[in-house]
Amino acid sequence: MDDQATSSFHTDTHAHAHVADNGEPVGANRTLREPVSADGTPELGKRYEVPARNGRAVRLAKGQVIRVVNTHGSQVCDFWAFKADDLSEFMSMEHARAVIDRIIPKAGDPLATNRRRPIMTLVADTSPGVHDTLMAACDAYRYQNLGVTEYHDNCADNMRMALKAIGLRAREVPQPLNLWMNIPVGAGGGVDWLPPVSKAGDHVDLRAEMDCVVVMSACPQDIVPINDNRPVEVHFTVLADA
């Protein structure tokens, strides 16, 4: 390699090392201090809480099932899944919609990654089946646009902090599967932001199709009525199988 090529290589490498990403939270809450365990490994069968306005991350081995419970029936839960050994591969709603040919998954549907292979399968859903795959996770900018002037808990930061609490970091915030979020699409293409239609105790079961890290956020949205303007906790349990 000549001197010019060597100089160019080092310049490109240096520039690449300083490329900004979307992996750092802009605020903080209990999510950073209360992981399910140091590395996110759960006790099978134990009921865990995702407190209102907070997030949690948990590791799933291939074949294990996570049951997420809408404890009060009125809460949206943002749900992500990342490949355990490579967080650049993650459950992707835009890819999942192309695989299942609809905008809301049903029991039996695989949920694809950004590399178009299943990472989770929705194996059971006791709710009416109203979920959302269209809307980005709420973030600090969303609340600024809604007129909030102080820091507001948000799902994007909850995802970042939940991963950080177990020693992980993703470079981006993928669009989540918004469990129980009621965003009907009208005939003219418009959308509404409505409270969930689920009832207390409804749950979904999702099976890991590869070793993965699941992140959940009990959505803090209290300005538009998607959580009935009253964010509350949800619960989850990791099971050995379906």
Side-chain angles (χ1 to χ4, degrees), residues 71-145:
T71 311
H72 301 276
S74 58
Q75 179 63 40
V76 168
C77 178
D78 287 35
F79 185 99
W80 296 265
F82 297 84
K83 189 172 185 289
D85 61 357
D86 179 6
L87 272 64
S88 71
E89 183 171 6
F90 48 80
M91 188 172 71
S92 166
M93 291 300 96
E94 52 266 47
H95 295 84
R97 292 192 298 267
V99 170
I100 64 176
D101 292 324
R102 52 177 162 261
I103 62 172
I104 301 177
K106 297 180 179 180
D109 281 346
L111 299 172
T113 73
N114 53 324
R115 298 179 189 168
R116 298 184 188 271
R117 55 180 177 167
I119 186 169
M120 308 289 294
T121 297
L122 178 60
V123 294
D125 184 357
T126 67
S127 77
V130 176
H131 310 286
D132 170 66
T133 68
L134 299 177
M135 297 301 174
C138 63
D139 53 28
Y141 306 107
R142 169 67 164 153
Y143 292 104
Q144 287 175 14
N145 290 343

Side-chain angles (χ1 to χ4, degrees), residues 132-208:
D132 170 66
T133 68
L134 299 177
M135 297 301 174
C138 63
D139 53 28
Y141 306 107
R142 169 67 164 153
Y143 292 104
Q144 287 175 14
N145 290 343
L146 290 170
V148 177
T149 57
E150 304 293 331
Y151 178 74
H152 192 292
D153 292 320
N154 61 85
C155 289
D157 272 357
N158 285 346
M159 188 214 82
R160 297 173 180 123
M161 288 187 285
L163 289 173
K164 192 171 185 177
I166 62 169
L168 298 175
R169 186 179 189 278
R171 291 179 58 85
E172 58 189 303
V173 180
Q175 197 230 297
L177 169 59
N178 295 308
L179 294 171
W180 304 298
M181 189 169 173
N182 184 10
I183 306 291
V185 179
V191 299
D192 286 319
W193 302 76
L194 302 179
V197 297
S198 49
K199 64 182 183 301
D202 278 346
H203 71 264
V204 295
D205 290 349
L206 296 113
R207 183 178 65 234

Side-chain angles (χ1 to χ4, degrees), residues 3 10 12 28 32 36 64 72 78 91 147 179 208 224:
D3 289 343
H10 285 306
D12 290 347
L32 272 174
V36 299
Q64 289 180 339
H72 301 276
D78 287 35
M91 188 172 71
L179 294 171
V224 299

